[in-house]
C-alpha cells in the first residue's frame, strides 16, 4: 500500500495473497505508527446488510454513505509525511509504477 501522497493507495490491510514480496526497503523514518493497530482496521459496528427488507427500504432515496473519518485522514497524512521525506526520486517513480503479471510470468521467479 501507499504512501497515499505518492501512489494514491491508502493505508489498509491487504491479504498476503495479493502482495508480491520484493527486496526493496523503505525507511520509515521517525514516523509515529503507534496508532495503527488491529482496532484501526476494524469496521464500525453498524447495520447488517441482510435482514428483512420492506417497501420503504427499497424506495429509500437517501443512500447512507460513510466516508473515511477525519481522524483517519489526518493520520494518513501524518504517516505519509514522514515516509515521503526519506524517499528518493527513483523510489517514488518505482512506487508509482503499475505492476502486472502476464502469461508465463511467475512471481516466485522474479527478482526485484
Amino acid at each position: 500500500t501507499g504512501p497515499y501522497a505518492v501512489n494514491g493507495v491508502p493505508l489498509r490491510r491487504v491479504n498476503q495473497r495479493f502482495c508480491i514480496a520484493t527486496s526493496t526497503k523503505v525507511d520509515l523514518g521517525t514516523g509515529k505508527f503507534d496508532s495503527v493497530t488491529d482496532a484501526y482496521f476494524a469496521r464500525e459496528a453498524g447495520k447488517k446488510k441482510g435482514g428483512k427488507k420492506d417497501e420503504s427500504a427499497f424506495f429509500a432515496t437517501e443512500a447512507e454513505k460513510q466516508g473515511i473519518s477525519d481522524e483517519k485522514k489526518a493520520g494518513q497524512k501524518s504517516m505519509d509525511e514522514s515516509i515521503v521525506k526519506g524517499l528518493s526520486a527513483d523510489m517514488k517513480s518505482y512506487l508509482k509504477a503499475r505492476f502486472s503479471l502476464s502469461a508465463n510470468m511467475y512471481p516466485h521467479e522474479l527478482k526485484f
Side-chain angles (χ1 to χ4, degrees), residues 6-43:
V6 174
N7 60 7
V9 179
L11 180 65
R12 62 180 6 179
R13 181 171 288 170
V14 179
N15 191 328
Q16 286 181 330
R17 173 174 273 184
F18 302 111
C19 297
I20 296 177
T22 66
S23 59
T24 305
K25 299 202 184 314
V26 174
D27 182 28
L28 296 179
T30 59
K32 295 183 180 179
F33 303 103
D34 299 337
S35 64
V36 181
T37 61
D38 287 338
Y40 182 84
F41 295 108
R43 293 185 181 171

Side-chain angles (χ1 to χ4, degrees), residues 1-3 20-29 82-92 94-95 111-112:
T1 63
I20 296 177
T22 66
S23 59
T24 305
K25 299 202 184 314
V26 174
D27 182 28
L28 296 179
S82 64
I83 294 173
V84 172
K85 286 179 186 176
L87 295 178
S88 65
D90 290 339
M91 183 60 71
K92 285 182 184 178
Y94 174 76
L95 291 173
K111 176 69 176 156
F112 296 96

Side-chain angles (χ1 to χ4, degrees), residues 65-83:
K65 282 247 178 184
Q66 293 182 353
I68 298 173
S69 67
D70 292 335
E71 180 181 310
K72 285 192 177 183
K73 286 180 185 177
Q76 175 80 51
K77 195 172 277 191
S78 67
M79 288 180 228
D80 280 356
E81 287 175 4
S82 64
I83 294 173

